[in-house]
């Protein structure tokens, strides 16, 4: 099947570029950084110095869910930036170098070409996100309090939707413009605009994809899925399908011209 | 809580079990970046500069190399 061929080719390329090694490692580092710095904060403050003699600092130990949410905040900043930067040239780079034309002159379905590549990058991103989430969970459980494992897996499943959505936005931009740097810029611009939008209309709109991370804290704390999260998830899946269809359509029209 | 009066090596050896994964992962990251750098034919900018960046900027150096270093 041609879909599998493209998927395997892309996965092999990611493997040869060491992406399968370094992207999960970066997420693991991001995940364990916040539990560690929070745990060692008194020592860090002490070694930095600058405090008057005899000053006592009393830092309350934060609840474990807060520490996990700090890690998720890191994934949302640096992690998303890494995800956007590694796939910025996935299609646009191939179109620029002419490799995409080489593939698409053969009777290859545009939809298959895009979804296969998207699936390959998504698999890598999701592996990385889960690795990071688990490392954060492991350290929080050791250094703070235990959090039920199923809660983490469940919240990770919803967080995966957000990551899949970002990858889909990135692939849509990949078919719109040919310059990889511009692809990354447009994707991040879309995320930022969505963030601003949801902050302004906070009380009206509850179902935007970028709100998924905010709803995760309830799952991690109690294990219950808030009803808004189901809405946000369905909207995310719907937008993802629209973006992927739009991407294959835009790739088709770009090629004719 | 660990006493604040310890020296740095003492502190490190006491917390080795917790800090070891952090150091091992950083090492793997640096080594894969260096292997990739040795294998790749063309880089954005001089190769020796990338080697220095990978070795001396921990975490960010290898990431920067993997994202911007290669020139296809």
């Amino acid at each position: 099947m041609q879909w599998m061929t493209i998927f395997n080719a892309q996965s092999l390329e990611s493997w040869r570029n060491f992406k399968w090694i370094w992207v999960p490692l970066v997420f693991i580092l991001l995940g364990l950084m916040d539990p560690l710095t929070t745990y060692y904060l008194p020592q860090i403050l002490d070694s930095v110095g600058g405090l008057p003699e005899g000053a006592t600092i009393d830092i309350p130990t934060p609840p474990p869910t807060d520490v996990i949410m700090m890690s998720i905040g890191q994934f949302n900043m640096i992690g998303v930036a890494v995800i956007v930067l590694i796939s910025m040239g996935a299609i646009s780079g191939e179109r620029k170098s002419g490799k995409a034309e080489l593939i698409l002159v053969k009777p290859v379905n545009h939809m298959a070409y895009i979804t296969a590549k998207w699936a390959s990058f998504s698999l890598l991103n999701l592996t990385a996100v889960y690795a990071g989430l688990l490392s954060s969970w492991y350290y929080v459980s050791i250094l703070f309090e235990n959090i039920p494992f199923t809660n983490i897996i469940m919240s990770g499943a919803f967080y995966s939707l957000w990551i899949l959505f970002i990858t889909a936005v990135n692939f849509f931009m990949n078919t719109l413009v040919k310059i990889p740097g511009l692809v990354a810029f447009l994707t991040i611009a879309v995320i930022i605009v969505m963030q601003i939008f949801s902050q302004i209309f906070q009380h009206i709109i509850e179902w935007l994809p970028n709100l998924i991370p905010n709803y995760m804290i309830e799952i991690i704390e109690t294990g219950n899925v808030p009803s808004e999260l189901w809405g946000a998830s369905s909207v995310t899946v719907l937008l993802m399908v629209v973006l992927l269809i739009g991407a294959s359509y835009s790739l088709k029209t770009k090629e004719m011209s | 809580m660990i006493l604040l009066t310890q020296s740095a090596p003492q502190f490190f050896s006491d917390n080795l079990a917790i800090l070891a994964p952090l150091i091992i992962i950083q090492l793997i990251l640096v080594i894969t970046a260096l292997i990739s750098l040795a294998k790749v034919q063309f880089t954005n900018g001089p190769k020796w500069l990338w080697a220095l960046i990978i070795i001396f900027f921990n975490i960010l150096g290898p990431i920067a190399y993997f994202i911007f270093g290669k020139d296809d």
Side-chain angles (χ1 to χ4, degrees), chain A residues 132-180:
Chain A
L133 210 54
L134 287 182
S135 78
S136 174
W137 169 78
Y138 179 72
Y139 266 74
V140 167
S141 298
I142 283 183
L143 302 175
F144 297 88
E145 274 169 57
N146 197 25
I147 292 177
F149 184 65
T150 45
N151 291 6
I152 293 296
I153 296 294
M154 206 152 66
S155 63
F158 284 101
Y159 192 63
S160 302
L161 283 177
W162 168 231
I163 299 296
L164 288 175
F165 174 76
I166 292 169
T167 321
V169 172
N170 201 0
F171 271 75
F172 180 69
M173 295 306 175
N174 255 307
T175 61
L176 276 190
V177 287
K178 270 189 186 176
I179 308 154

Side-chain angles (χ1 to χ4, degrees), chain A residues 100-114:
Chain A
E101 273 81 7
L102 233 99
I103 294 167
L104 290 169
V105 284
K106 293 172 197 134
V108 171
N109 190 344
H110 288 77
M111 196 69 197
Y113 176 70
I114 286 183

Side-chain angles (χ1 to χ4, degrees), chain A residues 16-19 21-23 25-26 28-29 32-33 36 39-40 42-43 46 78 81-82 85-86 88 139 142-143, chain B residues 1-5 11 15 17-22 25-26 28-29 32 35-36 39 59 62-63 66-68 70:
Chain A
R16 286 211 182 115
N17 286 339
F18 296 95
K19 281 196 182 104
I21 298 174
W22 74 266
V23 180
L25 283 182
V26 166
I28 290 173
L29 277 178
L32 50 84
M33 212 58 111
L36 277 181
Y39 182 72
Y40 287 121
Q43 281 86 343
D46 191 62
I78 306 168
V82 167
L85 288 172
I86 58 165
M88 66 181 177
Y139 266 74
I142 283 183
L143 302 175
Chain B
M1 253 318 141
I2 307 117
L3 279 177
L4 301 182
T5 45
F11 171 80
N15 296 275
I18 294 170
L19 295 177
L22 188 73
I25 290 169
Q26 282 200 45
I28 301 174
L29 210 56
T32 33
I35 293 172
S36 161
K39 274 185 173 175
I59 307 179
I63 298 176
F66 278 123
I67 292 174
F68 303 110
K70 272 166 272 181

Side-chain angles (χ1 to χ4, degrees), chain A residues 9-229:
Chain A
Q10 182 57 51
S11 299
L12 186 69
E13 198 187 317
S14 298
W15 180 248
R16 286 211 182 115
N17 286 339
F18 296 95
K19 281 196 182 104
W20 272 101
I21 298 174
W22 74 266
V23 180
L25 283 182
V26 166
F27 272 82
I28 290 173
L29 277 178
L30 286 178
L32 50 84
M33 212 58 111
D34 269 298
L36 277 181
T37 45
T38 315
Y39 182 72
Y40 287 121
L41 197 59
Q43 281 86 343
I44 295 169
L45 283 181
D46 191 62
S47 67
V48 170
L51 288 166
E53 197 66 41
T56 48
I57 342 152
D58 231 6
I59 303 159
T61 319
T65 42
D66 279 16
V67 185
I68 289 238
M69 287 313 282
M70 277 186 212
S71 291
I72 290 167
Q74 294 281 350
F75 299 154
N76 257 347
M77 297 252 299
I78 306 168
V80 165
V82 167
I83 284 174
V84 169
L85 288 172
I86 58 165
S87 45
M88 66 181 177
I91 293 175
S92 61
E94 292 197 348
R95 280 170 64 213
K96 210 171 155 194
S97 65
K99 201 173 146 197
E101 273 81 7
L102 233 99
I103 294 167
L104 290 169
V105 284
K106 293 172 197 134
V108 171
N109 190 344
H110 288 77
M111 196 69 197
Y113 176 70
I114 286 183
T115 49
K117 274 184 173 290
W118 171 75
S120 168
F121 272 100
S122 296
L123 188 65
L124 169 65
N125 294 342
L126 293 188
T127 312
V129 164
Y130 259 101
L133 210 54
L134 287 182
S135 78
S136 174
W137 169 78
Y138 179 72
Y139 266 74
V140 167
S141 298
I142 283 183
L143 302 175
F144 297 88
E145 274 169 57
N146 197 25
I147 292 177
F149 184 65
T150 45
N151 291 6
I152 293 296
I153 296 294
M154 206 152 66
S155 63
F158 284 101
Y159 192 63
S160 302
L161 283 177
W162 168 231
I163 299 296
L164 288 175
F165 174 76
I166 292 169
T167 321
V169 172
N170 201 0
F171 271 75
F172 180 69
M173 295 306 175
N174 255 307
T175 61
L176 276 190
V177 287
K178 270 189 186 176
I179 308 154
L182 200 57
V183 173
F185 171 77
L186 284 174
T187 313
I188 289 172
V190 166
I191 295 171
I192 290 172
V193 165
M194 226 154 63
Q195 216 86 275
I196 295 170
F197 203 72
S198 66
Q199 258 162 23
I200 296 174
F201 301 104
Q202 215 169 13
H203 47 292
I204 311 170
I205 302 169
E206 294 173 326
W207 289 7
L208 274 180
N210 62 320
L211 291 173
I212 288 179
N214 303 356
Y215 293 136
M216 279 167 66
I217 189 160
E218 197 177 322
I219 303 182
I220 297 171
E221 258 173 7
T222 62
N224 300 328
V225 182
S227 58
E228 295 96 339
L229 188 52

